[in-house]
């Protein structure tokens, strides 16, 4: 059996920035098979759909989920208490492919930053670029410092780190790295993909789409990709084929 | 242990729970949770004569106690289904129902002909998809069109023919009678109710198709009422569906008149729901000294 829904015991629930929550959840059986860039599909009381949340970090016993309250479901979830058991299908999707012998640039934008932490842990001293709207939304800076000597922080309004976009930093660093991995808003991913294409660097991007089953059966989380016969365009599903795609596969 | 087996025509289902079309793909994914033989049957993702790409995203929105969807029948086409998916499905020890949707009457007939020579156990005529521009529900909303498509497909269909009805009609009992009179062996009902959800900030519908089909617990009372009305109007068996979430819902739907059941949306919340529902039904039957689940069908005592 490849998929399972199991109970995870909540060991930590901390609001690390306004409306952004940091959960540590205990379940060794499923935590230990989790890979970078995969996601957890979390059941929420009184809601018909589960909430897909990217895995921020995992070890042999626990997974860490960092998510933003966006609506009623994530708000209910944010109120879970330490000791509660959450019903989670995990791990799901195809994540990032991180090789030890490559130099990576890892880029996260906003709530796309958390999954890059797991990548940073696996990669060999990567360049990490994190971007946020403003200082109130900055997260995980100390965590990244454990895995990289080169961490960049940018904000749209300059209230923390440098004022600007993640792509401003990427343009300066891209010649020093072998490959780029990114998660964040589509406009950001598109801009990153264009820079990588210009420089001939491979790029992996993690996408988001409104999701149903989470396993590839209901076909709602469609994304247009060049993965059909002879590179033709088709709709594939973020939950199963993704969430991580090669940038050149994505029709932005 | 009560007997959960149900029979429709010559086909025996190990229990009344069938995965509903469009929620279960061709079974591969849920087979990673549990063997598909735990299910009475599978109604496969709706297939068309040619491959279809489906609608642009977003294709789903959550609503109170339910969801709206507008996938738009993304599927690999009937030939691919027969050659690539069906051989594997047939090894899973469960009843396989092919769900077909067409742009034209000829499409439906051609698919029925191809599938009649295949190993599927039943064919479900989808004349109730609300999310495609042509075909789908346009065949399912008047007695004349339902009668015509049923009788046309019947000529080509050598398998038991299930006609899946849309709830987006004025009088579903009359529609069911038209299907029965023109050769349907079974009625399945209900498909989704057309609905809409708008983002008040952007003033855009959440779903790219603007409208979508509502399913989930929210539609259950509507489905029960319609199953009851149709059970009073036709003699052929009914596969009841629409928002079944708990074993109590399953029992209720059978009491309303269903011989078998389909479940869909609840799977997204709990992939193990069919197994839990079967366990719950079994206990209910034992507690009430009922030896077979078939004894529930149509036992409603209306006022």
């Amino acid at each position: 059996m490849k998929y399972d829904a199991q109970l995870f015991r909540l060991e930590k629930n901390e609001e690390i920035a306004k409306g952004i929550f940091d959960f540590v959840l205990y379940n060794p059986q499923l935590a230990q098979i989790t890979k970078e860039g995969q996601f957890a599909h979390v059941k929420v009381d009184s809601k018909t759909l589960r909430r897909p949340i990217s895995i921020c970090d995992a070890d042999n016993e626990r997974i860490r989920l960092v998510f933003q309250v966006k609506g009623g479901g994530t708000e209910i979830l944010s109120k879970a208490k330490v000791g509660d058991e959450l019903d989670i299908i995990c791990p799901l999707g195809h994540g990032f492919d991180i090789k030890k012998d490559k130099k990576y640039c890892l880029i996260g934008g906003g709530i796309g930053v958390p999954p890059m932490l797991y990548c940073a842990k696996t990669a060999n001293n990567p360049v990490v670029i994190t971007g946020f709207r403003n200082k109130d939304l900055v997260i995980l800076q100390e965590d990244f410092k454990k895995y990289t000597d080169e961490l960049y922080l940018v904000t749209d309004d300059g209230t923390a780190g440098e004022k600007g976009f993640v792509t401003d930093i990427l343009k300066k660093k891209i010649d020093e790295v072998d490959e780029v991995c990114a998660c964040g808003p589509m406009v950001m991913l598109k801009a990153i993909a264009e820079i990588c294409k210009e420089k001939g660097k491979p790029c992996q991007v993690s996408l988001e789409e409104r999701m149903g089953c989470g396993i590839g059966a209901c076909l709602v989380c469609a994304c247009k990709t060049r993965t059909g016969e002879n590179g033709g365009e088709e709709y594939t599903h973020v939950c199963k084929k993704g969430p991580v795609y090669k940038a050149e596969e994505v029709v932005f | 242990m009560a007997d959960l087996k149900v029979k429709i025509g010559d086909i025996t289902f190990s229990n009344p729970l069938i995965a509903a079309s469009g929620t279960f793909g061709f079974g591969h994914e849920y087979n990673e949770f549990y063997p598909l033989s735990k299910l009475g049957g599978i109604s496969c993702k709706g297939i068309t004569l040619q491959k279809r790409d489906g609608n642009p995203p977003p294709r789903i929105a959550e609503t109170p106690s339910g969801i709206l969807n507008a996938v738009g029948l993304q599927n690999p086409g009937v030939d691919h289904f027969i050659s690539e998916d069906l051989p594997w499905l047939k090894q899973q020890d469960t009843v396989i129902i092919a769900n077909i949707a067409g742009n034209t009457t000829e499409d439906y007939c051609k698919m029925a002909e191809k599938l009649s020579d295949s190993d599927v156990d039943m064919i479900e005529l989808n004349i109730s998809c609300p999310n495609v521009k042509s075909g789908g529900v346009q065949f399912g909303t008047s007695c004349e069109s339902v009668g015509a498509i049923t009788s046309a497909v019947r000529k080509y269909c050598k398998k038991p023919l299930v006609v899946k009805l849309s709830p987006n009609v004025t009088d579903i009992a009359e529609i069911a009678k038209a299907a029965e009179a023109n050769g349907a062996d079974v009625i399945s009902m209900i498909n989704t109710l057309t609905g809409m959800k708008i983002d008040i900030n952007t003033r855009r519908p959440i779903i790219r198709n603007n409208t979508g089909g509502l399913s989930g617990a929210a539609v259950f009372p509507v489905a029960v009422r319609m199953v009851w009305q149709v059970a009073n109007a036709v003699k052929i068996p009914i596969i009841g569906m629409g928002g079944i979430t708990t074993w109590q819902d399953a029992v209720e739907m059978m009491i309303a008149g269903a011989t078998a059941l389909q479940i869909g949306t609840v799977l997204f919340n709990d992939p193990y729901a069919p197994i839990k529902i079967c366990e719950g039904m079994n206990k209910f039957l034992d507690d009430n000294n009922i030896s077979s689940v078939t004894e529930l069908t149509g036992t409603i005592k209306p006022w």
Side-chain angles (χ1 to χ4, degrees), chain B residues 80-137:
Chain B
H80 184 279
F81 168 74
I82 291 171
S83 66
E84 305 300 318
D85 298 297
L86 187 55
W88 179 83
L89 280 164
K90 280 306 287 180
Q91 294 167 17
Q92 305 311 312
D93 191 24
T94 189
V95 174
I96 303 300
I97 304 171
N99 178 290
I100 60 172
N103 291 324
T104 63
T105 305
E106 291 68 39
D107 284 1
Y108 282 101
C109 292
K110 276 186 196 159
M111 281 189 281
E113 195 171 24
K114 283 172 186 269
L115 289 162
S116 288
D117 294 331
S118 80
D119 285 334
V120 301
D121 297 302
M122 304 175 99
I123 295 174
E124 185 175 55
L125 202 56
N126 180 356
I127 49 171
S128 42
C129 176
N131 299 324
V132 289
K133 283 204 173 64
S134 57
V137 77

Side-chain angles (χ1 to χ4, degrees), chain B residues 124-153:
Chain B
E124 185 175 55
L125 202 56
N126 180 356
I127 49 171
S128 42
C129 176
N131 299 324
V132 289
K133 283 204 173 64
S134 57
V137 77
Q138 77 179 48
F139 291 99
T141 47
S142 79
C143 293
E144 294 71 33
S145 59
V146 170
I149 189 84
T150 307
S151 120
V153 171

Side-chain angles (χ1 to χ4, degrees), chain A:
Chain A
M1 302 295 157
K2 206 161 74 189
Y3 298 140
D4 206 358
Q6 289 191 12
L7 295 176
F8 285 63
R9 193 174 70 245
L10 185 62
E11 293 188 338
K12 179 183 137 182
N13 174 0
E14 185 186 345
E15 188 170 7
I16 55 172
K18 193 175 164 44
I20 299 176
F21 291 80
D22 185 354
F23 278 16
V24 173
L25 294 143
Y26 180 82
N27 180 321
Q29 194 186 333
L30 297 184
Q32 64 183 321
I33 56 170
T34 299
K35 300 232 171 7
E36 305 82 1
Q38 290 187 297
F39 69 94
H41 216 21
V42 185
K43 193 167 167 172
V44 179
D45 284 347
S46 81
K47 291 290 179 183
T48 303
L49 295 176
R50 289 170 180 257
R51 266 49 184 176
I53 300 175
S54 62
I55 291 163
C56 172
D57 195 6
D59 60 22
N60 284 331
E61 296 184 321
R62 294 167 179 83
I63 62 169
R64 183 179 180 190
L65 304 177
V66 172
F67 65 95
Q68 187 168 28
V69 171
K70 289 266 181 77
T74 41
E75 187 172 346
I76 293 168
L77 189 61
S78 73
K79 296 193 165 76
K81 299 209 164 30
V82 168
D84 286 355
E85 305 261 15
L86 301 188
D87 180 324
I88 298 177
I89 306 173
C90 165
L92 291 175
H94 288 92
F96 289 103
D97 181 21
I98 305 286
K99 302 253 187 318
K100 289 284 183 194
D101 58 349
K102 277 188 169 183
K103 179 78 173 176
Y104 286 89
C105 177
L106 308 177
I107 310 175
I111 203 60
V113 167
M116 305 323 293
L117 183 64
Y118 198 172
C119 298
K121 187 166 85 170
T122 309
N124 186 12
N125 194 21
V127 174
V128 177
I129 310 171
T130 60
F132 303 91
R133 272 210 310 279
N134 59 54
K135 66 173 173 29
D136 296 334
L137 299 170
V138 174
I139 50 170
L140 303 175
Q141 299 297 299
E142 292 308 312
D143 298 87
F144 277 108
K145 283 176 191 164
K146 283 188 267 182
Y147 308 121
T148 176
D149 300 327
E150 217 175 337
L151 173 66
Y152 294 91
L153 168 64
V154 298
T155 50
D156 295 356
D157 63 0
T159 50
E162 293 179 40
K163 182 177 188 330
F165 298 114
V166 293
T167 43
D168 301 335
I169 311 287
L170 174 63
K171 283 175 194 160
K172 293 176 197 160
K173 302 304 297 181
I174 191 158
D175 292 329
E176 298 171 26
V177 301
D178 300 314
E179 184 160 0
V180 176
C181 295
C183 183
M186 274 304 249
V187 285
M188 182 193 96
L189 297 179
K190 186 182 179 191
I192 291 168
E194 281 167 5
I195 293 166
C196 291
K197 191 179 175 191
E198 207 171 287
K199 291 285 186 178
K201 303 277 182 178
C203 177
Q204 303 173 45
V205 293
S206 180
L207 304 186
E208 192 174 45
E209 186 50 70
R210 284 175 184 268
M211 205 174 270
C213 68
I215 58 172
C218 78
L219 311 183
V220 302
C221 56
C223 160
K224 192 159 261 186
T225 55
R226 297 183 193 91
T227 48
E229 276 175 53
N230 306 316
E233 292 182 8
E234 62 176 355
Y235 283 120
T236 58
H237 301 94
V238 168
C239 70
K240 190 177 183 186
K241 182 97 177 168
V244 177
Y245 291 84
K246 292 175 184 165
E248 68 266 23
E249 289 175 342
V250 179
V251 181
F252 284 103

Side-chain angles (χ1 to χ4, degrees), chain B residues 258-279:
Chain B
T259 296
L261 306 167
Q262 288 186 13
I263 61 166
T265 303
V266 66
L267 291 162
F268 305 164
N269 187 270
D270 184 0
Y272 297 103
I275 295 166
K276 292 176 186 170
I277 290 173
C278 273
E279 287 168 1

